[in-house]
Amino acid sequence: MSEATEMEKAYDPQKVEGKIYQYWLDSGVFDAEINPDKQPYCIVIPPPNVTGVLHMGHALDETIQDLLIRWYRMRGFEALWVPGTDHAGIATQNVVEAQLAEEGLTRDDLGRENFVARVWEVKEEHHGTITAQLQRIGVSVDWRRERFTLDEGLSRAVREAFVTLYEQGLIYRGARMINWCPRCGTGLSDLEVQREETQGHLWYIRYPEPDGGPGVVVATTRPETMLGDTAVAVHPHDERYADMIGKTVILPLMEREIPIVPDDYIDMEFGTGALKVTPAHDPNDLEIAQRHDLPSILVIGLTGKMTEETGPYAGLDRYDCREKVVADLAQLGLLERIEDYVHTPGQCQRCDTVVEPLVSTQWFVKMAPLAAKGLAAVDSRKVSFIPERWTKVYRDWLESIEDWCISRQLWWGHSIPVWYCDDCGEQTCARSDPTRCAHCGSEKIRQDPDVLDTWFSSALWPFSTLGWPDETAELDYFYPTSVLVTGYDIIYFWVARMIMMGMHLVGREPFGEVFLHGLVRDEHGQKMSKSRGNAVDPIGLMDEYGADAMRFALAQLITHGQDVTYAPDRLVGARNFGNKLWNASRFVIMNLTDAAPVDLDTVELSLADRWILSRHSRMLAQVDRQLAGYNLAQAADAIYEYVWSEFCDWYVEVAKTDLYGDDAARKATVQTILRKLLSEILRAIHPFMPFITEDIWQRFAPDEGSISRQQYPQAEETWRDEEVEAQMGLLQAVTTEIRTLRAELKINPGQPVTVSIIAPDEAATSLVASQRQAVCSLAAVEQLDVATAPADAPSDAISAVTGGVQVYLHLAGAIDVEKEAARIQKEIAEIEQDRLRSKDKLQNPDFLNRAPAAVVNKERAKLAGFDQDLEKLRAQVKRLSSISR
């Protein structure tokens, strides 16, 4: 980095961010080593999909983690942030299959080996993109330790985990009803199925009796599945069907006789109270069938097409079949009616295809024993959720957990380490590829074609990335990791599974704390998505505002588990804050060239000096306290308010008098204070805004290395002084009132004025008088008269009161009273017209009924603003009138 102290007039993030990040890499400031003399602090990054691109959720997640890791690093911890990416089975395979489709090919055209090779090529192409995007944000990860969920080490960890669980009887293969995605061609766990309200229909179909009697009417949202019905179920206490239980009806179109069975599961209020039972395509129907020993008929196959069991409908797509079945039923007079109906069909999380419940042979993990350990980790407080309310969500899920389907009918992923013997029919599960059957010795063995659910390898992430299953020094030093930062939306997918696997396989919790943040929503509270057209590209934001502005804006929005509402004005405000910091730093650095440091404990300090040191200490204590409690927004706000409203707007302005004055001792004192404050401000802000603070630091302290490795500033309680803060607060209030009066009368900022102060007591009088020079400088006052009540109020001035102090701004020579009163009256007339138009709009029923709520509320706020402006202007006219009389 440059050792020059000269700073450009404006900060340009695009020119410096890339150079600064490369400096960090070259300097090795992110590298972490095993250091017995230091306390470890470790975070493992939630690995983004290797073929993905960063979205606002990533930006929020990485901002939080980077803030924490930089804070702990600067506090003297050996801070390791482990980077990496996820192979993302289904998502990545879908990306490559889409590419092949554009070439007119399918994965079957390539064959498994060539297809997997193609996916590896795509992975390598995309890896550089996601890495570069992470670096744009400024992530201070140890890139030497980067991992990939399909790299050699993690693949060995996955196999060890699978074989261990298999040997313990916790992994088994069996036929169960699962969620099947016809588009992706694989089974899915329940968590990979999303449900959204969809407008559909209820078709009411009559199933007649064998003798031609009326039979029963059933209601269904999926008429195509009726071809696989094997019964009709009714509630045993439903009097409408008391005489039908035990009888049979004819299944239309299939002309198959099926029984009517009683079952307590039936909801008598839904539809007609009679439920068609399709055991092969509904989990609840399957349970009914098992209770009544009913057969199961598969009518929809793995590709979403009708099977041979459906006769004339065989080969039709399930939705084409639905149309034909409905038409045929109508033609037979068996379609009673159709009703609109809102329901929530399951959809594949990756491709949005409606999933098909099918009975399939898959691999499962027995979750009950693992869930018990996951619950114990929370009960013993080995793992704590922040905010605490998510503990109940976690607990409720684990207490009712189902076995986890871990096999996927894909080609990209971790192969299941099980081989089947064609001779004896047994299966061999091994840590290394076998050449013979472990049971009979036959060489006629073939590996299971399926791969593991992506989340299986992700569940091992905190310890596999540190070397498990080997007992590495890194695992011993950095594990358990310190905190997991992630969104609350994957508490089931990932968080719970990591806790269970860590407790079971390693015997320790994977992390001590889980900080769950919310999702990023748009300014209207809607979830961001490409389909809604409201997704915001963080790369575009960084191009426009810089990484620091985006990071700080996000930090100001982070609360415990609450969704984050993105608004563009937040970015503008954060960028302005960066510019404010740059300008103040530039001013300070320019005025430190001839500085001779003094001992602040031995020199006389002014009121402003003691005030800023007290406020500075208070800010540092608050930031430390808020960061320790993961109150990141409150910490960011504390820094913002102090730097902008106290350091820049007050102390720097007050300091100019001494910096440009003739008192060398005062100048040296102020320079020493400015050096101390700027040093600690830069270090305090660094975890939030790393690029700009590093750039300024290199101009401020070019010989001290990266700011990333400097000590985080600590509050010095000895500087705290409540009395001084109160005294300075009164002076600030007086100065602000003078400025406000000037602004209301539109007096030119550079035009000097005369002000009279009447204080309530001698102490206040003495205070204001002693700080006359500062007040005059800050409020452009030429003459400041100070007296103690009861003193005569001047007759040619407008006044305001603050903290018991009466402030009078003399108008003689400052404004033409009559002309100013006329101007205000004209402004009042214009606002009254605007107010009338707004009021008429809000009294218009058409506007109130048709306009969106947000528009109506905005108009109401506008009307309230007009009222406030009018009240203020009328008060000014009244004051001016009293003077003119």
Side-chain angles (χ1 to χ4, degrees):
M1 298 294 291
S2 171
E3 294 187 0
T5 57
E6 289 186 11
M7 294 175 65
E8 296 78 4
K9 288 186 177 181
Y11 176 68
D12 185 350
Q14 301 306 323
K15 287 184 178 180
V16 302
E17 287 180 352
K19 296 177 183 177
I20 289 173
Y21 198 87
Q22 190 60 49
Y23 163 68
W24 288 331
L25 293 179
D26 295 341
S27 303
V29 295
F30 303 156
D31 297 349
E33 306 294 347
I34 297 169
N35 187 343
D37 296 329
K38 296 173 71 175
Q39 185 177 345
Y41 183 84
C42 182
I43 298 177
V44 290
I45 196 171
N49 292 355
V50 71
T51 55
V53 293
L54 287 189
H55 52 66
M56 287 301 289
H58 288 122
L60 178 67
D61 213 47
E62 315 315 347
T63 293
I64 297 171
Q65 292 173 85
D66 193 55
L67 193 163
L68 291 173
I69 209 79
R70 287 178 185 271
W71 184 51
Y72 273 91
R73 184 182 292 124
M74 295 177 75
R75 292 169 63 210
F77 287 74
E78 192 63 28
L80 169 63
W81 187 8
V82 181
T85 49
D86 196 304
H87 68 281
I90 295 178
T92 301
Q93 181 154 321
N94 283 349
V95 167
V96 178
E97 288 192 13
Q99 291 180 356
L100 291 176
E102 293 178 359
E103 301 169 18
L105 299 171
T106 67
R107 62 173 173 171
D108 293 314
D109 293 328
L110 267 67
R112 183 163 188 159
E113 184 177 344
N114 289 333
F115 177 81
V116 170
R118 175 73 173 263
V119 181
W120 274 105
E121 291 176 6
V122 173
K123 176 263 178 188
E124 293 301 327
E125 292 170 4
H126 282 73
H127 173 263
T129 300
I130 198 75
T131 298
Q133 291 178 337
L134 287 170
Q135 293 183 352
R136 281 289 306 274
I137 295 176
V139 296
S140 59
V141 299
D142 188 342
W143 287 108
R144 304 171 306 160
R145 300 178 183 274
E146 183 181 7
R147 304 306 300 267
F148 177 55
T149 52
L150 267 178
D151 69 30
E152 183 179 350
L154 268 62
S155 294
R156 189 164 71 88
V158 167
R159 178 172 283 201
E160 177 63 31
F162 185 99
V163 175
T164 297
L165 294 171
Y166 179 91
E167 292 173 344
Q168 294 171 346
L170 295 177
I171 283 183
Y172 65 93
R173 186 170 184 253
R176 293 183 54 180
M177 180 158 285
I178 63 161
N179 305 289
W180 182 269
C181 176
R183 157 64 186 80
C184 296
T186 183
L188 306 172
S189 70
D190 291 342
L191 295 178
E192 293 169 295
V193 177
Q194 59 191 12
R195 297 185 182 276
E196 293 184 4
E197 286 192 350
T198 303
Q199 181 62 55
H201 298 93
L202 264 183
W203 285 270
Y204 288 80
I205 306 168
R206 182 171 297 280
Y207 287 19
E209 296 172 61
D211 60 2
V216 296
V217 174
V218 301
T220 180
T221 60
R222 306 182 65 207
E224 69 278 8
T225 63
M226 67 170 289
L227 304 176
D229 287 359
T230 57
V232 172
V234 297
H235 197 279
H237 299 147
D238 193 335
E239 295 180 358
R240 293 173 295 178
Y241 302 108
D243 61 344
M244 295 294 292
I245 294 174
K247 294 183 179 180
T248 61
V249 290
I250 298 298
L251 177 65
L253 306 180
M254 292 289 96
E255 299 302 316
R256 186 167 62 241
E257 198 168 337
I258 58 177
I260 297 177
V261 299
D263 199 279
D264 290 334
Y265 168 77
I266 307 305
D267 179 2
M268 291 186 285
E269 303 300 320
F270 177 77
T272 63
L275 177 74
K276 57 184 287 302
V277 180
T278 318
H281 297 282
D282 186 280
N284 297 312
D285 291 7
L286 179 60
E287 291 183 8
I288 293 173
Q290 291 169 344
R291 287 194 289 271
H292 297 277
D293 197 24
L294 300 172
S296 179
I297 302 173
L298 185 72
V299 294
I300 301 176
L302 300 180
T303 61
K305 294 186 177 182
M306 308 309 289
T307 67
E308 294 299 322
E309 296 286 349
T310 61
Y313 303 97
L316 289 177
D317 174 81
R318 54 183 169 163
Y319 295 114
D320 294 336
C321 178
R322 176 180 296 179
E323 293 182 7
K324 183 166 175 54
V325 163
V326 170
D328 291 348
L329 288 170
Q331 188 173 10
L332 293 172
L334 297 177
L335 184 64
E336 294 287 308
R337 66 184 186 276
I338 304 174
E339 294 179 352
D340 289 338
Y341 183 69
V342 175
H343 62 140
T344 55
Q347 295 176 300
C348 174
Q349 187 189 49
R350 295 299 179 185
C351 69
D352 295 329
T353 301
V354 174
V355 300
E356 195 63 48
L358 295 175
V359 175
S360 176
T361 299
Q362 302 283 345
W363 287 94
F364 297 87
V365 176
K366 290 181 182 178
M367 297 305 293
L370 301 181
K373 294 183 178 181
L375 289 168
V378 172
D379 290 342
S380 63
R381 305 296 294 177
K382 290 181 178 178
V383 177
S384 300
F385 283 88
I386 303 164
E388 172 65 26
R389 67 178 180 273
W390 288 105
T391 303
K392 184 179 185 303
V393 176
Y394 169 87
R395 171 176 290 284
D396 289 347
W397 185 63
L398 288 191
E399 288 178 344
S400 59
I401 198 167
E402 298 285 340
D403 285 356
W404 175 15
C405 176
I406 56 170
S407 48
R408 298 291 180 270
Q409 289 64 54
L410 303 170
W411 288 354
W412 172 247
H414 292 279
S415 296
I416 290 178
V418 173
W419 285 257
Y420 304 105
C421 180
D422 290 335
D423 285 339
C424 71
E426 294 290 341
Q427 56 192 35
T428 300
C429 180
R431 288 174 174 80
S432 57
D433 293 359
T435 57
R436 297 175 179 274
C437 173
H439 302 276
C440 71
S442 170
E443 295 182 357
K444 295 180 180 180
I445 57 174
R446 50 190 168 79
Q447 188 172 6
D448 190 300
D450 293 348
V451 299
L452 288 166
D453 178 9
T454 295
W455 293 103
F456 188 89
S457 54
S458 297
L460 315 178
W461 186 250
F463 47 93
S464 62
T465 52
L466 295 174
W468 188 89
D470 294 333
E471 296 181 2
T472 63
E474 284 79 8
L475 187 66
D476 181 63
Y477 182 68
F478 288 110
Y479 187 88
T481 65
S482 305
V483 63
L484 175 77
V485 177
T486 190
Y488 64 72
D489 57 327
I490 57 174
I491 189 172
Y492 307 134
F493 276 114
W494 195 40
V495 180
R497 288 168 175 168
M498 281 190 289
I499 295 173
M500 288 185 282
M501 288 296 191
M503 294 297 290
H504 185 75
L505 295 173
V506 188
R508 293 289 305 277
E509 68 280 7
F511 26 74
E513 294 179 313
V514 181
F515 179 54
L516 295 169
H517 58 75
L519 309 180
V520 182
R521 298 185 179 274
D522 68 14
E523 51 195 315
H524 304 295
Q526 297 294 314
K527 184 178 179 180
M528 287 188 176
S529 67
K530 290 181 180 178
S531 60
R532 286 192 176 97
N534 64 348
V536 176
D537 176 18
I539 303 301
L541 293 182
M542 289 187 284
D543 287 342
E544 183 174 358
Y545 299 99
D548 286 329
M550 184 188 73
R551 288 170 59 116
F552 197 79
L554 289 173
Q556 287 184 297
L557 296 171
I558 297 164
T559 54
H560 287 194
Q562 299 296 319
D563 286 345
V564 172
T565 301
Y566 163 81
D569 60 335
R570 287 282 187 174
L571 274 295
V572 175
R575 181 178 60 187
N576 292 345
F577 177 61
N579 291 337
K580 187 85 167 180
L581 174 66
W582 179 268
N583 291 335
S585 300
R586 183 171 181 268
F587 170 80
V588 171
I589 292 172
M590 288 172 60
N591 282 280
L592 292 180
T593 53
D594 60 344
V598 300
D599 184 353
L600 296 180
D601 292 324
T602 62
V603 297
E604 183 178 353
L605 301 179
S606 70
L607 176 68
D609 296 338
R610 287 179 287 146
W611 168 78
I612 196 63
L613 290 168
S614 180
R615 296 300 298 168
H616 184 77
S617 178
R618 187 183 296 274
M619 176 273 292
L620 291 178
Q622 184 178 0
V623 170
D624 191 67
R625 182 172 61 254
Q626 299 294 0
L627 288 180
Y630 295 96
N631 298 309
L632 309 186
Q634 291 88 332
D637 288 344
I639 290 176
Y640 179 95
E641 289 300 323
Y642 165 76
V643 171
W644 189 298
S645 303
E646 296 178 343
F647 177 72
C648 293
D649 283 359
W650 289 97
Y651 188 73
V652 169
E653 293 304 314
V654 171
K656 289 178 181 178
T657 301
D658 290 317
L659 291 174
Y660 302 150
D662 298 326
D663 189 332
R666 278 297 302 155
K667 180 177 181 181
T669 298
V670 169
Q671 286 177 320
T672 300
I673 292 173
L674 286 172
R675 178 182 291 279
K676 169 185 171 62
L677 296 180
L678 182 58
S679 171
E680 295 186 0
I681 286 170
L682 292 174
R683 286 180 278 144
I685 298 177
H686 178 70
F688 297 86
M689 306 179 83
F691 290 103
I692 190 171
T693 50
E694 183 72 78
D695 194 11
I696 297 171
W697 183 262
Q698 294 302 322
R699 327 295 185 104
F700 175 73
D703 300 325
E704 295 185 21
S706 172
I707 192 174
S708 298
R709 288 290 182 171
Q710 305 304 314
Q711 182 180 358
Y712 200 79
Q714 298 298 303
E716 297 176 69
E717 293 300 318
T718 55
W719 289 118
R720 292 282 283 275
D721 193 324
E722 301 285 348
E723 183 179 356
V724 163
E725 290 189 24
Q727 291 175 345
M728 189 66 183
L730 179 61
L731 290 174
Q732 289 175 301
V734 169
T735 304
T736 300
E737 285 300 336
I738 298 172
R739 289 172 170 175
T740 301
L741 291 173
R742 293 178 62 107
E744 287 178 356
L745 297 174
K746 293 186 167 41
I747 298 174
N748 190 301
Q751 181 179 346
V753 295
T754 298
V755 173
S756 293
I757 301 290
I758 300 179
D761 51 46
E762 289 296 338
T765 301
S766 176
L767 172 65
V768 176
S770 69
Q771 302 299 316
R772 180 182 277 107
Q773 184 180 24
V775 174
C776 289
S777 173
L778 292 169
V781 175
E782 184 176 41
Q783 180 178 339
L784 179 65
D785 299 321
V786 185
T788 306
D792 293 334
S795 60
D796 66 335
I798 61 170
S799 66
V801 179
T802 178
V805 175
Q806 300 172 63
V807 179
Y808 296 90
L809 191 152
H810 296 262
L811 300 180
I815 63 168
D816 183 323
V817 174
E818 292 185 3
K819 184 176 180 181
E820 179 63 15
R823 183 193 68 77
I824 296 175
Q825 288 287 9
K826 181 180 179 183
E827 188 175 351
I828 288 173
E830 292 173 352
I831 294 176
E832 284 178 334
Q833 288 296 316
D834 292 337
R835 183 188 182 281
L836 185 61
R837 282 192 290 271
S838 179
K839 186 177 180 181
D840 288 344
K841 184 180 287 188
L842 288 169
Q843 290 178 339
N844 184 340
D846 286 343
F847 173 73
L848 296 175
N849 293 330
R850 295 180 182 179
V855 174
V856 174
N857 290 335
K858 186 176 181 180
E859 193 63 37
R860 285 176 178 149
K862 188 191 296 184
L863 180 61
F866 290 146
D867 288 337
Q868 291 173 3
D869 291 344
L870 287 171
E871 182 180 1
K872 189 170 164 185
L873 291 170
R874 285 167 181 157
Q876 289 182 33
V877 170
K878 185 177 180 180
R879 285 195 300 231
L880 291 174
S881 297
S882 66
I883 295 171
S884 62
R885 288 198 296 269

